[in-house]
């Protein structure tokens, strides 16, 4: 099996920013409640006809530039998203055409907030066994399109954005281990009731607001802390490492309190935990990859560092990954 690593990364966040103060004018909430309960101060929201594929494409272009490869070199595109432009075709197909990556096989995956870690692990297999040379993995979401802007329980949490990574064989470091999991018994905790084959769109589903995210935050909070802690322990053990070996944890950014609780359970210093939720909110599958981009850009990661990605989301799904940068 070949050793596989990330050779280029990129992100795109829409220019428009929605602050907690803006939300105070929309629902019965306060900057103080949002900031102390979640750590979020603002989030990026699409405008001017932007949607998931257009953001995914922009992030992908940055990643290709960073990797110094051409679109025609890509053999595989996987887009992790729960907010594709439309049910089909895939966002991956749309960006294949727009990028000019016509040699690439393309598909989307749905693994919610663990989507990027899932997609990374899938792409790793294709390269490790020699099927493909270069893979483009994207996490992209337009959660603002499925957010109920009248529901204060959820509308303060989510944002839009995209991140991308190019994977290929590397001579040292790279992805040391990955671990994916799911508990399908609690799909009721976070979901969109209508718009699929079970409850197709109708006047009734629109009037009863069933096309928006429904969430039982309290219950999810506890499961997220437990699951992300366990996933981090398992994936690190698989890599033959200890927590003292980890230079930076990049967790899914759903809630700063969840992240800090996981860090505390693992006995990890807060300065080794990357947080960017304040400026982005929860961008589901785009969360860990945009955080990785910003950690690199901000000089928080240097060559040889051990990075731990750790994510949890609707499904319920979780995934963790250890990378030697
Ligand atoms: O992305 C992966 C999956 N998602 C998650 O893992 C999210 C996990 N859950 C969370 O992050 C938190 O549970 C939330 C941020 C969603 C909620 O925080 P909480 O501390 O669990 O609050 P709560 O749901 O227990 O609500 C506490 C109170 C309630 O009022 P009462 O019933 O105590 O009077 C809510 O109605 O806060 C109220 N509340 C709000 N107040 C002001 C809920 N949303 C708001 C709001 N502004 N936006």
């Amino acid at each position: 099996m070949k050793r596989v690593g990330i050779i280029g990364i990129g992100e795109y966040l829409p220019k428009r920013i929605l602050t907690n103060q803006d939300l105070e004018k929309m629902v019965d909430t306060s900057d103080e409640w949002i900031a102390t309960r979640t750590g979020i101060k603002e989030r990026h929201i699409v405008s001017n006809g932007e949607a998931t594929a257009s953001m995914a494409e922009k992030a992908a272009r940055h990643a290709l530039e960073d990797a110094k490869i051409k679109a025609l070199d890509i053999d595989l595109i996987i887009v992790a998203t729960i907010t594709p432009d439309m049910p089909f075709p895939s966002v991956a197909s749309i960006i294949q055409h727009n990028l000019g990556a016509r040699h690439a096989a393309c598909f989307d995956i749905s693994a919610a907030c663990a989507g990027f870690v899932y997609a990374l692990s899938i792409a790793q297999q294709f390269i490790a066994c020699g099927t493909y040379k270069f893979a483009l993995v994207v996490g992209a979401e337009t959660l603002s399109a499925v957010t109920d802007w009248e529901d204060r329980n959820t509308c303060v949490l989510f944002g839009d954005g995209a991140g991308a990574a190019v994977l290929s064989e590397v001579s040292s470091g790279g992805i040391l281990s990955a671990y994916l999991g799911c508990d399908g018994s609690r799909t009721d905790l976070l979901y969109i009731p209508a718009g699929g084959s079970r409850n197709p769109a109708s006047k009734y589903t629109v009037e009863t607001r069933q096309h928006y995210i429904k969430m039982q935050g309290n219950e999810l909070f506890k499961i997220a802390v437990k699951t992300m802690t366990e996933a981090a322990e398992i994936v690190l053990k698989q890599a033959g490492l200890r927590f003292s070996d980890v230079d930076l944890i990049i967790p899914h950014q759903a809630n700063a309190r969840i992240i800090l609780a996981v860090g505390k359970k693992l006995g990890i210093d807060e300065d080794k935990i990357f947080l960017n939720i304040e400026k982005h909110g929860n961008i589901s599958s785009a969360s860990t990859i945009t955080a990785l981009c910003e950690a690199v850009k901000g000089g928080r990661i240097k060559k040889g560092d051990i990075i731990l990605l750790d994510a949890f989301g609707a499904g319920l799904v979780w995934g963790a990954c250890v990378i030697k940068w």
Side-chain angles (χ1 to χ4, degrees):
M1 298 290 259
K2 296 176 195 299
R3 184 185 285 272
V4 181
I6 294 177
I7 60 160
I9 49 174
E11 65 168 336
Y12 174 79
L13 293 150
K15 301 278 167 291
R16 188 176 147 214
I17 288 173
L18 186 74
T19 64
N20 289 352
Q21 286 74 20
D22 295 328
L23 283 161
E24 283 176 349
K25 294 174 202 137
M26 295 160 65
V27 287
D28 180 15
T29 191
S30 65
D31 171 45
E32 202 263 331
W33 190 96
I34 304 169
T36 53
R37 295 291 180 126
T38 71
I40 303 167
K41 295 290 278 182
E42 58 187 41
R43 65 289 288 146
H44 295 256
I45 303 286
V46 290
S47 59
N48 303 326
E50 286 179 314
T52 298
S54 59
M55 293 190 289
E57 181 192 330
K58 288 192 172 104
R61 285 188 192 280
H62 292 309
L64 291 177
E65 210 178 290
D66 191 39
K68 298 182 181 60
I69 66 157
K70 294 188 183 65
L72 279 176
D73 296 330
I74 306 167
D75 305 299
L76 173 70
I77 301 176
I78 308 176
V79 178
T81 185
I82 49 168
T83 50
D85 288 34
M86 54 199 97
F88 69 90
S90 68
V91 173
S93 294
I94 298 170
I95 68 167
Q96 187 235 33
H97 174 68
N98 293 345
L99 292 170
R102 58 178 183 278
H103 300 147
C106 296
F107 59 92
D108 289 359
I109 65 148
S110 169
C113 305
F116 182 77
V117 178
Y118 262 70
L120 197 68
S121 178
I122 297 167
Q124 181 199 3
Q125 314 303 316
F126 279 107
I127 297 169
C129 64
T131 310
Y132 295 131
K133 199 163 169 219
F134 293 110
L136 174 67
V137 177
V138 185
E141 303 287 3
T142 313
L143 294 173
S144 61
V146 291
T147 295
D148 185 344
W149 293 105
E150 292 179 11
D151 175 16
R152 72 172 184 171
N153 290 297
T154 53
C155 76
V156 300
L157 303 174
F158 303 110
D160 301 335
V166 177
L167 270 67
S168 81
E169 186 181 358
V170 289
S171 52
S172 62
I175 299 171
L176 305 184
S177 65
Y179 165 68
L180 309 175
C182 173
D183 173 5
S185 70
R186 299 315 310 271
T187 52
D188 58 313
L189 294 180
L190 182 53
Y191 72 121
I192 296 176
S197 55
R198 175 68 57 197
N199 290 311
S202 67
K203 190 164 176 283
Y204 175 75
T205 61
V206 171
E207 279 172 0
T208 52
R209 310 185 79 74
Q210 291 189 48
H211 294 271
Y212 297 125
I213 296 170
K214 310 288 176 202
M215 187 175 93
Q216 288 180 46
N218 243 321
E219 195 59 25
L220 276 175
F221 190 109
K222 289 175 260 172
I223 303 173
V225 173
K226 183 172 179 290
T227 310
M228 288 173 73
T229 305
E230 285 169 2
E233 285 166 347
I234 292 169
V235 81
L236 211 59
K237 197 170 167 203
Q238 278 176 9
L241 296 171
R242 289 186 299 254
F243 280 102
S244 53
D245 298 318
V246 175
D247 294 293
L248 194 65
I249 293 202
I250 302 200
H252 167 52
Q253 313 276 318
N255 186 321
R257 283 161 51 222
I258 293 179
I259 294 170
L260 296 177
V262 171
K264 199 167 170 194
K265 274 180 167 264
L266 295 173
I268 290 197
D269 294 345
E270 279 189 25
D271 63 350
K272 284 190 170 185
I273 303 171
F274 190 77
L275 273 169
N276 69 349
I277 191 169
E278 185 178 343
K279 294 204 166 302
H280 299 305
N282 180 350
I283 17 178
S284 193
S285 69
S287 168
T288 43
I289 175 61
T290 50
L292 178 65
C293 289
E294 283 162 32
V296 170
K297 215 166 27 181
R300 295 283 301 272
I301 298 177
K302 55 185 187 314
K303 188 146 177 52
D305 276 359
I306 299 291
I307 311 302
L308 193 148
L309 303 185
D310 194 5
F312 166 85
L316 302 173
V317 289
W318 53 90
C321 177
V322 179
I323 303 170
K324 187 167 184 187
W325 200 249

